[in-house]
Amino acid sequence: MPRGFGHGGPWWHTRFRGAGFRITVPRQAILEVLSKTQKHLSAEDVYMAVHRICPTVGLTTVYRTLELLVDMGLVFKFDFGDGRARYELALGPKGERHHHHLVCTNCGRVIDYTEFIDDEIELLQQTEKGLSKKYNFDITHHLIQFYGLCDKCKGR
Amino acid sequence: MPRGFGHGGPWWHTRFRGAGFRITVPRQAILEVLSKTQKHLSAEDVYMAVHRICPTVGLTTVYRTLELLVDMGLVFKFDFGDGRARYELALGPKGERHHHHLVCTNCGRVIDYTEFIDDEIELLQQTEKGLSKKYNFDITHHLIQFYGLCDKCKGR
DNA sequence: CTCCTTATTGAAAATGGTTTCCATTATCAA
DNA sequence: TTGATAATGGAAACCATTTTCAATAAGGAG
């Protein structure tokens, strides 16, 4: 466990208090769900998982909280093209398990890969620097995804 | 070659005939609209532009045709995070004006950039090769986007 | 610990982009 | 020209997400 419920509570409590947000049961449940999976959960997925911990939490609150977490930078939001957004805990820009995605356009399967991340990151940072300067943009994040057919789907 | 309605018709006629699809008025209008802009049009945008050429074409047909064109690889479909898909003519993988996007998360403005494409493409091809092998994927395309605040929005 | 302000919540309704249905129309091979 | 059937368009259905609003609860003040 990310330890320390004693005084400040879990790591994210500070972030919330600092931003003037309240620490509520639904928010704790949602963050607990997110921190216990490696999967790319949809809002509905989160809702169902949270429901097991705290059945009174509504889907609306899940959407609202996810949006809040995305705005705070604690959670990433992805679109894999199946019409519903996916969420995963951020865990630091180049922190543990920073990864990109490989999406099967046939079955929708998503593979996280970390193999070539280092080179990618390096190039991206160069590019970001160039783009920032040229277009006077403050670049906050990027998205890289590869699409294709997974081994199970390529045979048809 | 963008000429010659005489016998084969425009360049894409061959693709259509070869795939067994019919060449219809709505499809011609939609392709005409797409080929005459550099912008990232939504389905509604395309619908309105097509409406000027051929007022009887319905929104349903626009959606269906765009999907068909995406499936055929003639058109790219993007998601810039504003809840509606955007479309643009493909014009070849590394063909003329191949570009990536820079999206302002505040006002939604999208800038196409081509500056660092060459290095990016090179890295991507390496990565694609590695990923294909390791995960046994047939990679068909990729997506790179940078997000941040544009010069007009960064001041707030 | 209690009170009070107000951020947060949840149910239901609204939204809005996209898809489906289905009867009608139009393409194009024969 | 004709016939099989792909394609079309309007209306209705879909469905993820957002909005509305009255009820609830977090947490600082006293």
Side-chain angles (χ1 to χ4, degrees):
Chain A
M1 141 169 13
R3 68 183 307 283
F5 272 79
H7 249 254
W11 58 276
W12 53 272
H13 279 202
T14 320
R15 288 289 307 275
F16 266 66
R17 293 229 165 76
F21 297 128
R22 293 179 179 173
I23 292 162
T24 67
V25 172
R27 287 174 178 172
Q28 305 204 59
I30 290 166
L31 272 155
E32 188 181 329
V33 164
L34 288 173
S35 62
K36 283 186 178 165
T37 186
Q38 300 268 84
K39 294 178 186 164
H40 323 93
L41 302 179
S42 66
E44 185 83 30
D45 292 335
V46 174
Y47 172 68
M48 291 189 295
V50 165
H51 196 270
R52 270 175 243 124
I53 304 175
C54 183
T56 62
V57 176
L59 181 56
T60 305
T61 296
V62 171
Y63 273 107
R64 269 188 302 232
T65 302
L66 288 173
E67 186 187 3
L68 180 68
L69 295 173
V70 169
D71 287 346
M72 293 176 72
L74 297 181
V75 163
F76 290 137
K77 180 179 182 177
F78 293 98
D79 167 45
F80 296 141
D82 65 344
R84 65 184 66 185
R86 304 306 180 116
Y87 302 86
E88 45 182 294
L89 220 47
L91 288 194
K94 53 189 65 168
E96 325 81 298
R97 82 187 228 300
H98 182 55
H99 60 273
H100 289 159
H101 300 290
L102 190 52
V103 182
C104 177
T105 49
N106 185 249
C107 68
R109 187 155 67 113
V110 176
I111 291 180
D112 295 356
Y113 71 89
T114 54
E115 286 73 21
F116 312 91
I117 289 291
D118 290 344
D119 288 334
E120 284 183 9
I121 296 288
E122 192 182 317
L123 176 81
L124 289 175
Q125 286 180 337
Q126 273 185 286
T127 308
E128 283 181 21
K129 189 181 277 184
L131 289 173
S132 291
K133 187 172 236 169
K134 170 142 191 180
Y135 296 107
N136 196 25
F137 246 74
D138 271 354
I139 294 182
T140 55
H141 59 289
H142 60 252
L143 174 67
I144 293 193
Q145 280 173 199
F146 288 94
Y147 299 90
L149 293 174
C150 72
D151 57 348
K152 291 174 186 165
C153 292
K154 58 160 64 172
R156 327 197 182 131
Chain B
M1 109 192 41
R3 60 174 301 277
F5 273 77
H7 248 254
W11 57 277
W12 53 272
H13 280 201
T14 320
R15 289 289 307 274
F16 266 66
R17 292 229 167 75
F21 297 129
R22 293 179 179 173
I23 291 163
T24 67
V25 171
R27 287 174 178 173
Q28 306 205 57
I30 290 166
L31 273 156
E32 188 181 331
V33 164
L34 288 173
S35 62
K36 282 186 179 166
T37 186
Q38 298 267 83
K39 295 178 185 165
H40 322 94
L41 302 178
S42 66
E44 185 83 31
D45 293 334
V46 174
Y47 171 67
M48 291 187 298
V50 164
H51 196 269
R52 269 174 246 125
I53 303 174
C54 183
T56 62
V57 176
L59 182 56
T60 304
T61 296
V62 171
Y63 272 107
R64 267 187 303 232
T65 302
L66 287 173
E67 187 187 3
L68 179 68
L69 295 173
V70 169
D71 288 345
M72 292 176 74
L74 297 181
V75 163
F76 290 136
K77 180 179 184 179
F78 293 99
D79 167 45
F80 297 142
D82 64 344
R84 65 185 66 186
R86 304 304 180 118
Y87 302 85
E88 45 182 292
L89 219 48
L91 287 193
K94 55 190 63 170
E96 326 80 298
R97 85 185 224 301
H98 182 56
H99 61 271
H100 289 157
H101 301 291
L102 190 52
V103 181
C104 177
T105 49
N106 185 249
C107 68
R109 187 155 67 111
V110 177
I111 291 179
D112 295 356
Y113 71 90
T114 53
E115 285 74 21
F116 313 91
I117 289 291
D118 290 344
D119 289 335
E120 284 181 9
I121 296 289
E122 191 181 318
L123 176 80
L124 289 174
Q125 286 181 336
Q126 273 186 287
T127 308
E128 283 180 20
K129 189 181 277 185
L131 289 173
S132 291
K133 186 172 238 172
K134 171 145 188 177
Y135 296 107
N136 196 26
F137 246 74
D138 270 353
I139 294 181
T140 54
H141 58 289
H142 59 253
L143 173 67
I144 293 192
Q145 282 173 199
F146 288 94
Y147 299 90
L149 293 174
C150 72
D151 57 347
K152 290 174 186 164
C153 292
K154 58 161 61 170
R156 323 197 183 131

